[in-house]
Amino acid sequence: KSIIVIDTKFEPYFYVIPKKGHKLSEKIEKLRVEKKEEVYEVTKTENLKMAYNGEEVDVIKVYTKLPRDISVIRDIIKDWNMVVSVNEYDFPYSRRYLVDKEITPLTLLDVEVEEITRKAKVPVFEAKSIKQVEDETLTGPKILAIDIETYNDGMAVDFEKNPILMISFYGKNYQKVITWKKFKTKHKYVEFVESESDLISKFKEILEHVKPDIITGYYSDGFDLPYINHRANKYKVKLDLGLDYSDMSVSSRGVSKVKIPGIVHLDAFSVIKKLFSQSLKTDFYDLGSVSEELLGEKKTDVELEDLAGVWDNKPSELDIFCEYNLQDSKLAFKLAEKILPNVIEMVKIVGLPIFDVTRMGFSQLVEWYLIKRSHLSKVVVPNKPGNEELRDRMLNRYEGAFVFEPTPGLYKDVIIFDFRSLYPTIISSHNISPSMLNCDCCKGHEEKVPLEGADYKFCKNKKGFLAGVIDDLIKR
């Protein structure tokens, strides 16, 4: 069953690292700012010992009433001359919650709750306690794939002008095509409505009836769901699909991303392009090419550019387009099933939900994995470099690894040797970690860097944070 659990006990916070000998907790606790009739304040502080840049330091954990208070309070404290650094102030609140609670999405939780009254499509509870009990993973989530076909007068996509002609749905023991032009059909899965507006209302009705855990499509972030959303707005059809009656949201910053609270949206296209592109033989990422390679199945053979003409003049021939529409949903469903184990493993490693890990770049995935590990190791996460530091890094670069340039020519009896994951292996085995460079704890026994004229050494007594993280990933 789907339920909503609300945790009201988690408090937003950030870290302040004071200069040695300065006691700032009392001063920080008195901070209270009034701005445009809003109050921003510190609720409490906590004194901790944590690692920062490889050293153990005194850290003040500063709690605020609301997440939005953090930036206002932080802007005041960062300018104090008795402060070394202000850290971890820009983490998204929901991600901070998962990291701090050590909760991995899709795994089994033990929650002590009290039922509360709240407007929602499912039962709502308030958490008295919540913790992950084991890493048993959710199996067999209910997946529903969707695909739309639109009126097409030429190749350009026109959300405003061209209507949606049909929507297909495919799930386990469920298949349906909804369209709004009536014709004689041999297929039981075809249903008719009166208009495009009714078609969109039916889309909403089917989602509420099927209650999928995951909604999927192929390029559904960039086409299907934004198109449905745009046409729904045109007809003032409210797409309050969230389990708490919140609207489906379409983020248009950069690449389009569509989110439905309480229903995971998995775009099979974005996952395959990111996680599988290196291993695919095909150079094309269209649904037909990818399905043929990964599933051994093809799209229905039809000239899609004829759809508008058939719709206007020969509705009796629409059956083949319904088959085409349903086949696309079926392929999206099967691709989602095939890639889900890989996605779940990524979720378990990084510790963020499916929606996030399937849309983050690899550098972001690495960053959040390190943030998760930092919390477990009681390490303060360093701040991202500012513009000045970035300019300095660009001007003062390190020379890269030596690359042997081969002599062009014809050779025989050639043997290829490749060391898999060479750099991670070197980092792990030689403890190459910033905090372990030129340490004081093992003088005379350090791991010397074999570089002529350089006097760099790495600690041999204790494992560095970065080397330890990479070591664990290699073993995993």
Side-chain angles (χ1 to χ4, degrees), residues 67-97:
R68 54 123 215 226
D69 297 4
I70 289 176
S71 60
V72 175
I73 301 297
R74 172 249 174 194
D75 284 347
I76 296 168
I77 297 174
K78 73 179 176 66
D79 293 327
W80 292 356
N81 59 14
M82 64 284 280
V83 168
V84 173
S85 183
V86 179
N87 294 70
E88 301 194 17
Y89 50 80
D90 56 354
F91 292 178
Y93 189 48
S94 57
R95 293 182 186 176
R96 160 66 85 190
Y97 176 82

Side-chain angles (χ1 to χ4, degrees), residues 436 438-446 459-462:
M436 299 293 106
N438 298 334
C439 76
D440 296 325
C441 72
C442 53
K443 282 194 173 173
H445 305 287
E446 307 100 324
C459 182
K460 288 191 88 170
N461 284 350
K462 53 181 188 276

Side-chain angles (χ1 to χ4, degrees), residues 3 10 30-31 180 204 261 308 314 352 412 424 441 466 473:
I3 62 168
F10 189 68
K30 290 174 183 173
L31 281 176
W180 52 281
K204 176 180 171 181
K314 301 175 184 175
L352 294 179
K412 88 174 185 180
C441 72
L466 191 60
L473 275 177

